C-alpha cells in the first residue's frame, strides 16, 4: 500500500493510504482546473428555473402531506411507522448510491439535454469537490426535489380522495414513502455538509458524528481517484456491505461485457483537461 498526499478541504495535507497505479492517486485540482471552469460555465438560466420550480413544488407538497399525516396519526401504527422510517432511510441511501454510481460511471456531458443538466454536476464534483459548498440551496437541492414531486403529488391526491378507512390501512406505507421522500430530497444537502469543514451547525456535526447522516471522513473514501467505491451519500450506511459484496464492481463488469463501454471514461476525460 502506497500513501498519497492530497490537499484536503481545510487547505492542509492529508495522507491517504490507497494503492497507486494507472488511473489512481490523481490530485484534486479544484476551481482553477480547466475542466472545472468549463463545467461550471455550463450551468444555465434554464437549469436554474427548473431547480426553482422543483424546490417550490417539492416543499409545498411535503408540507401538505405532513399536515395530513399528522391528522391521520394513530398510536396503533407506532411500530410500523418507525419501521417505515428506517426502511425509507435505507431505500434513500441505496437510491443515492445507485444514481451516484450511474452518473459517475456512465454517460457523457455531451448527451442531449440530460448530459449538461444532470451529468455535468457529477463531472465537476470530482475535479472540484468543494464546488458544491459554493452552491446555494436551490442549486444544491433542485434536482433531488424534482425526483420527489410525482410521488408526493400522488400521495396528496390520495389523501384528498381516499376514505378515512383506506387512509388508515395505507398509513404505514405512506410513512415509509414520506421518509423516503424527505431523505431523497435532503441527500445533496447532506452531501454538501460532508464537504463543509467550517461553520456547520452543531446539530449537523452531531448527526455526522453519530453517523445518522453521511460523515465527512466516511465520504472522503469515495474521493480517492478513480472514484469507484462508497457511492451512497445519504447516510452511507450501505457503503460497507455493498463494497464487501462487490456490488458496483459486478454491475460494471456486466455492463462493460454487454456494451463494451469502459466505466468512468468520460469522468477521466474531464479530469485530464488542461485547457
Amino acid at each position: 500500500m502506497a500513501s498519497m498526499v492530497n490537499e484536503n478541504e481545510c487547505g492542509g495535507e492529508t495522507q491517504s493510504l490507497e494503492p497507486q497505479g494507472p488511473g489512481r492517486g490523481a490530485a484534486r485540482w479544484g476551481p482553477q482546473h480547466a475542466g472545472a471552469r468549463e463545467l461550471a460555465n455550463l450551468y444555465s438560466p434554464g437549469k436554474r428555473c427548473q431547480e426553482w420550480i422543483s424546490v417550490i413544488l417539492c416543499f409545498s407538497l411535503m408540507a401538505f402531506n405532513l399536515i395530513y399525516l399528522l391528522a391521520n396519526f394513530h398510536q396503533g401504527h407506532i411500530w410500523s411507522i418507525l419501521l417505515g422510517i428506517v426502511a425509507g432511510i435505507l431505500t434513500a441511501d441505496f437510491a443515492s448510491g445507485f444514481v451516484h454510481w450511474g452518473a459517475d460511471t456512465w454517460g457523457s456531458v455531451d448527451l442531449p439535454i440530460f448530459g449538461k443538466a444532470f451529468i455535468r454536476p457529477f463531472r465537476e464534483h470530482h475535479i472540484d469537490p468543494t464546488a458544491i459548498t459554493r452552491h446555494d440551496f436551490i442549486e444544491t437541492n433542485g434536482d433531488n426535489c424534482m425526483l420527489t414531486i410525482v410521488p408526493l403529488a400522488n400521495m396528496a391526491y390520495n389523501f384528498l380522495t381516499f376514505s378515512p378507512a383506506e387512509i388508515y390501512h395505507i398509513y404505514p406505507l405512506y410513512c415509509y414513502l414520506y421518509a423516503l421522500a424527505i431523505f431523497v430530497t435532503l441527500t445533496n444537502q447532506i452531501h454538501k455538509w460532508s464537504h463543509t469543514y467550517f461553520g456547520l451547525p452543531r446539530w449537523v456535526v452531531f448527526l455526522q458524528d453519530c453517523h445518522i447522516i453521511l460523515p465527512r471522513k466516511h465520504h472522503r473514501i469515495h474521493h480517492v481517484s478513480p472514484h469507484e467505491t462508497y457511492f451512497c451519500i445519504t447516510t452511507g450506511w450501505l457503503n460497507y456491505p455493498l463494497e464487501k459484496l462487490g456490488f458496483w464492481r459486478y454491475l460494471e463488469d456486466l455492463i462493460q461485457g454487454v456494451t463494451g463501454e469502459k466505466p468512468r471514461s468520460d469522468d477521466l476525460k474531464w479530469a485530464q483537461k488542461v485547457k
Side-chain angles (χ1 to χ4, degrees):
M1 299 286 283
S3 66
M4 175 186 67
V5 178
N6 269 337
E7 186 177 353
N8 67 15
E9 287 85 347
C10 298
E13 288 186 337
T14 58
Q15 292 272 334
S16 177
L17 297 178
E18 291 290 329
Q20 293 190 34
R24 301 194 66 93
R28 299 185 296 183
W29 294 277
Q32 301 308 314
H33 183 271
R37 293 197 305 271
E38 183 176 344
L39 288 164
N41 289 334
L42 293 176
Y43 184 64
S44 67
K47 176 64 176 172
R48 181 71 172 183
C49 180
Q50 170 254 306
E51 291 169 346
W52 263 107
I53 294 171
S54 297
V55 169
I56 292 170
L57 287 175
C58 172
F59 281 93
S60 298
L61 288 166
M62 204 168 281
F64 180 90
N65 285 319
L66 178 60
I67 292 170
Y68 274 84
L69 283 171
L70 293 175
N72 288 277
F73 172 77
H74 293 277
Q75 287 187 343
H77 281 139
I78 189 67
W79 290 111
S80 57
I81 290 171
L82 293 175
L83 180 61
I85 291 172
V86 173
I89 295 171
L90 286 171
T91 305
D93 198 40
F94 179 79
S96 75
F98 191 81
V99 172
H100 188 186
W101 166 79
D104 272 7
T105 309
W106 311 106
S108 166
V109 177
D110 298 326
L111 289 172
I113 303 176
F114 187 83
K116 289 181 181 179
F118 302 108
I119 299 293
R120 178 196 64 82
F122 291 87
R123 299 294 177 267
E124 180 188 20
H125 185 59
H126 283 171
I127 50 182
D128 184 9
T130 59
I132 192 173
T133 67
R134 302 187 294 275
H135 296 168
D136 65 6
F137 185 86
I138 301 300
E139 185 174 358
T140 299
N141 298 291
D143 287 341
N144 286 59
C145 285
M146 182 184 66
L147 295 174
T148 63
I149 290 172
V150 171
L152 286 172
N154 180 68
M155 187 185 301
Y157 175 79
N158 290 340
F159 273 130
L160 292 173
T161 58
F162 281 9
S163 68
E166 289 174 314
I167 292 174
Y168 178 84
H169 288 297
I170 207 168
Y171 190 86
L173 174 62
Y174 278 5
C175 289
Y176 160 75
L177 292 174
Y178 193 75
L180 173 59
I182 288 176
F183 277 86
V184 166
T185 299
L186 293 178
T187 287
N188 223 29
Q189 185 64 51
I190 293 169
H191 182 204
K192 177 179 177 177
W193 287 333
S194 76
H195 285 279
T196 304
Y197 281 77
F198 301 102
L200 281 177
R202 289 183 179 180
W203 63 270
V204 172
V205 176
F206 174 78
L207 292 176
Q208 289 178 332
D209 290 344
C210 294
H211 206 153
I212 297 172
I213 62 175
L214 184 70
R216 291 169 287 190
K217 185 177 181 180
H218 180 94
H219 185 52
R220 283 204 297 266
I221 297 171
H222 172 72
H223 277 276
V224 175
S225 182
H227 313 95
E228 61 185 2
T229 188
Y230 276 45
F231 291 100
C232 299
I233 54 173
T234 304
T235 62
W237 295 350
L238 295 178
N239 278 323
Y240 182 76
L242 289 173
E243 179 64 17
K244 294 300 289 184
L245 290 170
F247 182 78
W248 307 116
R249 195 172 301 109
Y250 173 79
L251 286 183
E252 288 171 15
D253 290 344
L254 179 64
I255 292 172
Q256 186 174 8
V258 171
T259 67
E261 293 292 324
K262 187 176 180 180
R264 286 170 290 278
S265 58
D266 188 65
D267 195 52
L268 181 61
K269 180 190 78 173
W270 283 97
Q272 292 175 337
K273 274 185 175 286
V274 294
K275 62 179 180 178

